[in-house]
Amino acid sequence: MSDAARPDAARPGAARPFGARPIYFDYAATTPVDARVAAYMAECLTRDGTFGNPGSRSHAEGERAHEAVEAARRQVAAAVGAAPADVVWTSGATEANNLAIFGVALQARTRGRHIITCKTEHKAVLDPCRELERRGWSVTYLAPSARGRLDPARLAAALRPDTVLVSVMHVNNEIGVIQDVAGLATLVARHGTARMHVDAAQSVGKCPIDFAGAGIDLMSLSAHKAYGPKGAGALLVSAARGVELEPLQYGGGQERSLRSGTVATHQVVGMGAAFALAAADAAPESAESLRLAALRERLWDGIRVLGATFRNGEPSDCVPQLLNVSFGDVEGESLLAAVQDELAVSTGSACTSSLGEPSYVLRALGRDERLAEASLRLSFGRFSTAADVDHAIMVIGHAVLRLRSIGGLCATAN
Ligand SMILES: *Cc1c(COP(=O)(O)O)cnc(C)c1O
């Protein structure tokens, strides 16, 4: 989209119109649906479009919907190095994580009841694990290094004869750090008793994924983090590796009986189109990755001059779409309040920021509570521009300097 066409394209220093929408810096929470994707989706809804039930193969309407769903399945599989037969459609990555974790745990319950995951996982992995603990399973929560990566030696030491599942995310949603899931999967496969699950909700279009090549058993995907619709996702269940799951819902037997329910043609068509578009951007040397990495460094260079700023995640370990910064000598809530009118940003993941707790991810990296609270996650993407970044630098700079001067006065008064 051209800059001029953007209603919210603020130039640094230029007065933004009163009531203008804040500039969007929360692509890690969700992305707008790409207009091309929305157009494909719209074709799957109405009477003149592909509205049939993809399971109704006895007439042309159903057959047409079936073909659209299978084309989308091939697009999703191709974007992540999977076979089309691996794809099980779900309502998103949360459902995919639940299906993977409960599905393996229940299927393997007579062999063992031990699960390994990481402290910095998304709640959609941690909470199913907590629930399994309540039901009698034992779960090991591994701590990452200060850089946010999981040391393979720690995983190796935690594997037990009764371990049935290891769940480690690919790209972290708060700091953007990429785990070596292929290396970890090799360890798990060598151990022999456990399945390897990867939450890759944040990965598509941001870094390369090779599901089959990495020897991963199960992988969760989400459409709305990659310019597709909310409410669409998939669990990859490796057919080649013979992965077996117990389903969580029963009904019409769709999706290899792993996820009964009429497949939502418009949703999966949207996901397929979004992934096909995003896949070209995934390589670190793609034009889009280089553009976004340059935006990220421009943002960091503009913020670091404020002093007492701490970058969370080493840039060489991270996807280019995200910058997470902790600010010394400011209070977290005041910082967010000071920038909110101008910038749509997050202090952590959308799912935990509503709880008003400091980020458990930043705490696991060793940030103290105060710094973890005074952090901003700035995430950007396809529609972000250098002008957006320059405006963010100005807004954050003003806010931090003002809050620090007020904070200084209070400290003296106390
Ligand atoms: C967004 C996200 C999820 C949840 O995905 P939904 O499709 O919204 O259910 C899970 N894991 C990670 C890492 C995420 O970023």
Side-chain angles (χ1 to χ4, degrees):
M1 191 183 284
S2 83
D3 240 27
R6 298 164 45 82
D8 61 351
R11 302 305 176 281
R16 278 161 30 85
F18 179 74
R21 286 165 77 171
I23 299 176
Y24 194 69
F25 274 97
D26 209 10
Y27 280 74
T30 196
T31 54
V33 175
D34 189 289
R36 292 164 287 185
V37 171
Y40 291 126
M41 292 176 68
E43 287 169 15
C44 299
L45 291 167
T46 47
R47 191 176 163 201
D48 56 351
T50 310
F51 73 88
N53 185 328
S56 302
R57 310 283 298 279
S58 58
H59 50 68
E61 293 303 345
E63 193 58 39
R64 201 141 66 95
H66 171 77
E67 276 164 22
V69 166
E70 294 315 303
R73 199 185 298 280
R74 289 190 292 274
Q75 285 176 312
V76 166
V80 297
D86 298 337
V87 177
V88 174
W89 302 117
T90 65
S91 62
T94 300
E95 188 192 332
N97 287 343
N98 274 270
L99 180 55
I101 294 166
F102 286 103
V104 167
L106 294 175
Q107 198 276 334
R109 63 185 173 271
T110 55
R111 285 195 293 111
R113 297 193 181 198
H114 178 238
I115 293 170
I116 300 172
T117 187
C118 192
K119 287 184 174 168
T120 47
E121 292 295 309
H122 192 274
K123 288 280 182 190
V125 164
L126 294 177
D127 279 6
C129 288
R130 293 259 181 250
E131 177 56 27
L132 281 170
E133 279 186 287
R134 278 190 286 272
R135 298 185 195 178
W137 271 258
S138 90
V139 181
T140 302
Y141 299 90
L142 296 174
S145 72
R147 285 171 68 148
R149 304 249 290 182
L150 179 58
D151 180 353
R154 274 201 193 161
L155 173 59
L159 284 161
R160 310 193 317 211
D162 63 339
T163 307
V164 291
L165 181 69
V166 174
S167 183
V168 178
M169 74 201 314
H170 190 206
V171 173
N172 183 272
N173 50 299
E174 287 195 40
I175 58 172
V177 68
I178 307 167
Q179 298 288 356
D180 173 20
V181 288
L184 299 173
T186 306
L187 257 178
V188 173
R190 205 179 299 141
H191 182 71
T193 65
R195 292 298 186 184
M196 173 81 184
H197 167 249
V198 173
D199 177 350
Q202 291 284 347
S203 314
V204 173
K206 298 178 190 164
C207 66
I209 310 177
D210 186 5
F211 177 67
I216 295 165
D217 295 299
L218 301 132
M219 180 179 276
S220 300
L221 302 170
S222 177
H224 75 98
K225 307 285 174 68
Y227 312 95
K230 295 164 193 56
L235 179 65
L236 304 179
V237 183
S238 175
R241 300 177 65 80
V243 177
E244 288 179 14
L245 290 183
E246 201 153 297
L248 305 184
Q249 63 192 50
Y250 295 83
Q254 290 89 345
E255 301 301 289
R256 296 153 62 188
S257 288
L258 289 174
R259 208 277 194 166
S260 282
T262 303
V263 173
T265 314
H266 63 299
Q267 296 290 73
V268 307
V269 161
M271 183 169 174
F275 275 34
L277 287 170
D281 297 334
E285 59 280 0
S286 75
E288 181 65 351
S289 290
L290 295 174
R291 184 184 79 87
L292 293 168
L295 285 187
R296 179 188 63 183
E297 297 313 306
R298 184 185 183 109
L299 187 54
W300 172 237
D301 287 341
I303 286 175
R304 72 199 296 186
V305 298
L306 297 168
T309 50
F310 307 92
R311 188 172 189 167
N312 297 310
E314 291 288 325
S316 58
D317 294 344
C318 293
V319 295
Q321 285 82 352
L322 198 153
L323 178 71
N324 190 313
V325 183
S326 297
F327 295 86
D329 308 322
V330 297
E331 203 246 320
E333 226 170 288
S334 315
L335 177 59
L336 186 63
V339 302
Q340 243 163 7
D341 287 347
E342 298 281 330
L343 308 174
V345 293
S346 159
T347 49
S349 83
C351 317
T352 47
S353 58
S354 60
L355 303 177
E357 292 166 2
S359 154
Y360 63 85
V361 173
L362 297 183
R363 297 284 286 128
L365 301 189
R367 289 280 180 235
D368 67 38
E369 195 158 319
R370 213 182 140 76
L371 270 182
E373 257 174 29
S375 303
L376 293 179
R377 178 186 72 175
L378 295 138
S379 53
F380 32 88
R382 192 172 288 168
F383 308 107
S384 304
T385 65
D388 293 346
V389 164
D390 291 343
H391 190 72
I393 291 168
M394 187 186 71
V395 169
I396 292 168
H398 280 161
V400 168
L401 295 179
R402 188 170 58 78
L403 290 169
R404 281 181 182 164
S405 71
I406 298 169
L409 292 176
C410 290
T412 327
N414 288 339

